[in-house]
Amino acid sequence: MDEEIINRNKNINRGFRKLEVWKLSTELYKQIKIKVRTLPNVPLKIRSQVEDSAFSISSNIAEGYGRRSLKEYINFLNIALSSLAENYSQVFNLFNAGDIDKQWFDEFDKQHYEIENKLIQMNKSLLEKLKSNEWKDDYVLRDPNETYYDV
């Protein structure tokens, strides 16, 4: 991952780029894309579905972050978790059918599990913020030392 690109042009809407779970999910997509494109015996439609569900994970994390509403953010993280579950099922089916080798699947499963647990923990944390009203849902600077670039 190109950290220079991730760290440039910061603003309040691009803060998701600092989230480890977003970074990990972009790496998972990359690994899945590389693998499924080497599976010529798997129909293109299935390969596309596997790539799409993996692509959806980081996309929903980012979209939820950009919504500025805590309830919407939680909802999009739940969608990311759903995409993660869909992707696991698809990749497991390919493994179970003999299209993917065990070594690759085991590495995928490890990465997947890490992302899944981070998203679950993130949702738990955000639900606590929802209960305690700790969420900034506007663009008002509350601290004179804060800038829109501190996210």
Side-chain angles (χ1 to χ4, degrees):
M1 179 165 298
D2 191 328
E3 289 296 322
E4 180 201 340
I5 291 173
I6 296 298
N7 291 318
R8 71 180 182 203
N9 299 326
K10 295 178 184 181
N11 66 30
I12 198 166
N13 199 51
R14 292 185 177 195
F16 65 86
R17 299 180 308 174
K18 290 172 58 175
L19 298 173
E20 185 179 358
V21 71
W22 178 80
K23 291 178 183 180
L24 291 171
S25 64
T26 63
E27 289 300 314
L28 182 69
Y29 167 74
K30 183 169 83 174
Q31 295 303 319
I32 288 169
K33 178 183 171 182
I34 290 167
K35 184 62 173 179
V36 299
R37 291 190 178 185
T38 67
L39 304 173
N41 296 331
V42 175
L44 178 60
K45 179 179 178 182
I46 292 173
R47 292 190 317 240
S48 293
Q49 287 176 325
V50 174
E51 278 188 45
D52 290 348
S53 64
F55 194 77
S56 179
I57 300 161
S58 62
S59 299
N60 279 293
I61 293 167
E63 185 170 357
Y65 187 96
R67 291 296 179 120
R68 306 305 307 150
S69 158
L70 183 54
K71 287 181 181 179
E72 285 185 281
Y73 191 14
I74 292 168
N75 183 51
F76 275 90
L77 291 181
N78 282 325
I79 294 168
L81 274 166
S82 298
S83 295
L84 201 57
E86 175 186 15
N87 184 257
Y88 181 89
S89 180
Q90 293 164 338
V91 173
F92 179 83
N93 282 328
L94 291 172
F95 165 70
N96 196 43
D99 295 307
I100 292 177
D101 61 273
K102 184 170 182 344
Q103 182 180 356
W104 189 90
F105 179 80
D106 288 345
E107 184 57 35
F108 158 82
D109 191 31
K110 181 180 167 185
Q111 289 175 298
H112 184 281
Y113 187 71
E114 181 180 8
I115 294 166
E116 192 171 46
N117 284 326
K118 286 183 184 302
L119 273 175
I120 289 168
Q121 287 306 115
M122 197 169 167
N123 254 358
K124 285 180 179 179
S125 173
L126 291 175
L127 285 168
E128 287 301 315
K129 285 185 178 199
L130 183 64
K131 290 177 188 174
S132 66
N133 248 351
E134 291 179 40
W135 181 257
K136 294 181 193 179
D137 62 356
D138 55 29
Y139 296 103
V140 175
L141 300 176
R142 297 192 171 112
D143 177 346
N145 298 318
E146 182 180 16
T147 68
Y148 287 116
Y149 306 105
D150 294 337
V151 288

